[in-house]
Structure formats: structure tokens, C-alpha cells
Amino acid sequence: MAKVSVGLRGWRFDEDEVFTDDGNWAPLDEMPDDARNRLLRLGLLMDQPCDACYLEHGEAEKRRANPAAIVYGEPGDEVLLCNEHEADFLYWFREEGGSELAGEETFRDEFHEWFVAGNRAPEGYGPDEHVEESPGELPNLPTPEEAQRRLEQSVEFEEKRYDLRAPESDDEAAGEELDVSDLDLDTDYPGSG
């Protein structure tokens, strides 16, 4: 089973879980949850700047940041990096205790704090060699809107409309009318008042 990166290096997918035999995307509802969540997240991350560049230049100079080429971490707490800053991240991860935070909610924040404090990889500390296997032959990631449309088509949704003006209680669901005269509106509840 071949592993492939999609869009950004870093997250690896089992090829047979995300692609059909003819090289198109597998239906989203047939993918394992983790693969589907990562692919959908990648659709949002593709045009984002490198975190380290952004931290160096700030919001006002965001346009100077390199686009992200690599993603590390878990969806929602990932670190995006350009090729130039990957060594800094890998040094932090391998040599400065970052690996102990893998999977933790503070993973990205801890790397950011380390980087903002002026820490960097030593000169010559290089990233691993990456093998690019025909990245141009991969289909484009679906946009978040396209992904949502595909999910809705593949799963039967039961739509229920709620009338927020008249809250539904269990009695109402059973067909009984709610009698508001039974409510004591002068009751003091904990924390009110």
C-alpha cells in the first residue's frame, strides 16, 4: 500500500483509501474518518502562509511570507511551513522537546513561542530528503464547498425545521399543548439576579 502526500508534504495517506483505481478521489463518505478530515482540512490550508514567515513579518507584511509547502501536526493544531523554515521546525521537534507535544492542543502554540523567542535550527541542520512522485498527476483537492456538496449527496440527510418562537417540549412532541399558565415566572433560579 503506497503512501502519498496531497497538496502539502507532511500528512501521508494510504493511496487506496483516498483514490479510486482510475486515479480520481474516492467518495468522501467511503474514506476513513481521519483521512477524510485531513483532506478536507488541506482544502483550507493550501493557500495559507508559512507560520514561521508570518511570525517574522507580521500581519502588516503578510504578503512577504512564503506559501506553506509542508504541514505537521494534527488537523486544527497544525504547523504550516515553507521549505526554508522546515529545518527550524524539525530541530524544535527532534532536539527541543517538540515531539513530546505531538497530539497535544498546545503543539502549534509551543512551536510558535519557541520560534518567536528567536530560536532557530543550527546552520546546516537540514530537513529530510523528500521524494516527489508525480505530484502533478494527482487530482486537485476539492474546495470546502465542493467537499460539502459531495458529502451531502452521498449521505441521506433528514432535514428538520425548528420554530424558535415556540420551543418544542416532549409534551408537544407527543401532541399535547403546553400550558404556559402552569409556569411560575417569578421563580429565582441560581445565578439569576
Side-chain angles (χ1 to χ4, degrees):
M1 180 179 328
K3 293 272 195 183
V4 294
S5 289
V6 177
L8 301 173
R9 280 195 332 266
W11 289 345
R12 309 275 292 158
F13 299 90
D14 290 327
E15 194 171 7
D16 63 345
E17 291 180 349
V18 296
F19 296 113
T20 61
D21 291 337
D22 59 359
N24 291 315
W25 290 111
L28 291 169
D29 63 321
E30 294 177 12
M31 290 182 192
D33 289 346
D34 185 58
R36 180 180 54 244
N37 292 342
R38 286 176 188 267
L39 280 175
L40 294 175
R41 184 72 180 150
L42 278 170
L44 298 171
L45 301 175
M46 289 295 297
D47 297 322
Q48 297 300 311
C50 165
D51 287 2
C53 287
Y54 181 84
L55 292 169
E56 284 181 336
H57 302 299
E59 181 66 29
E61 295 291 320
K62 181 177 167 180
R63 61 176 167 45
R64 293 179 55 199
N66 293 323
I70 305 123
V71 59
Y72 289 113
E74 297 300 315
D77 194 36
E78 64 277 323
V79 176
L80 298 174
L81 300 158
C82 64
N83 292 322
E84 290 79 20
H85 286 112
E86 184 179 20
D88 295 323
F89 173 82
L90 291 175
Y91 182 79
W92 169 79
F93 187 79
R94 295 173 180 162
E95 314 294 336
E96 296 289 326
S99 63
E100 296 170 14
L101 299 169
E104 298 292 326
E105 289 181 20
T106 60
F107 182 75
R108 175 182 46 209
D109 293 339
E110 291 291 329
F111 171 70
H112 287 182
E113 288 178 20
W114 179 85
F115 189 85
V116 167
N119 297 299
R120 301 293 185 272
E123 191 69 36
Y125 191 91
D128 299 332
E129 290 296 319
H130 299 285
V131 177
E132 297 286 340
E133 292 185 20
S134 308
E137 294 178 15
L138 297 176
N140 290 329
L141 282 168
T143 64
E145 295 79 15
E146 173 66 14
Q148 182 64 32
R149 186 187 65 73
R150 288 183 192 180
L151 280 173
E152 288 174 4
Q153 284 180 339
S154 63
V155 179
E156 290 185 28
F157 285 96
E158 180 181 321
E159 187 174 327
K160 182 174 180 178
R161 298 198 182 273
Y162 293 94
D163 183 356
L164 299 177
R165 294 170 290 163
E168 184 176 309
S169 69
D170 291 340
D171 291 339
E172 287 177 309
E176 300 175 17
E177 288 292 321
L178 178 64
D179 185 359
V180 292
S181 65
D182 291 337
L183 298 176
D184 182 3
L185 300 177
D186 293 323
T187 301
D188 286 329
Y189 294 97
S192 67

